[in-house]
């Protein structure tokens, strides 16, 4: 089994898909924002679930297709 590509949590963009620990792919709806201390980052998925991670975390991710991107 090959490992999944990762992306720093601060680089997440709406449309990216993050591989959850339950094994499902969740689609990012909002850009990540820091909490008051700056140590934790939060964002929302399209189904309303809130994602949280340490600001240096790297998450298994499938980037969204960007307009004008070639396959």
């Amino acid at each position: 089994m090959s490992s999944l590509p990762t992306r720093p949590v601060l680089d997440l963009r709406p449309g990216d898909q993050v591989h959850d620990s339950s094994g499902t792919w969740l689609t990012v709806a909002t850009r990540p924002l820091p909490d008051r201390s700056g140590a934790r980052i939060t964002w929302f998925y399209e189904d309303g679930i809130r994602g949280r991670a340490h600001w240096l975390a790297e998450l298994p991710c499938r980037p969204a297709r960007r307009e004008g991107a070639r396959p």
Side-chain angles (χ1 to χ4, degrees):
M1 180 178 160
S2 64
S3 64
L4 297 170
T6 61
R7 172 176 276 188
V9 68
L10 292 173
D11 289 344
L12 289 177
R13 302 290 182 263
D16 288 350
Q17 291 186 322
V18 175
H19 195 253
D20 192 350
S21 59
S22 68
T24 60
W25 288 95
L26 301 172
T27 303
V28 176
T30 62
R31 296 278 311 253
L33 295 172
D35 65 2
R36 288 185 182 194
S37 72
R40 300 289 273 168
I41 304 296
T42 60
W43 65 95
F44 285 94
Y45 294 107
E46 287 183 351
D47 58 2
I49 296 172
R50 181 174 46 171
R52 286 184 281 192
H54 185 270
W55 72 279
L56 289 176
E58 294 218 0
L59 304 175
C61 179
R62 290 193 295 212
R65 289 192 50 96
R66 308 288 183 231
E67 287 186 31
R70 293 184 179 182

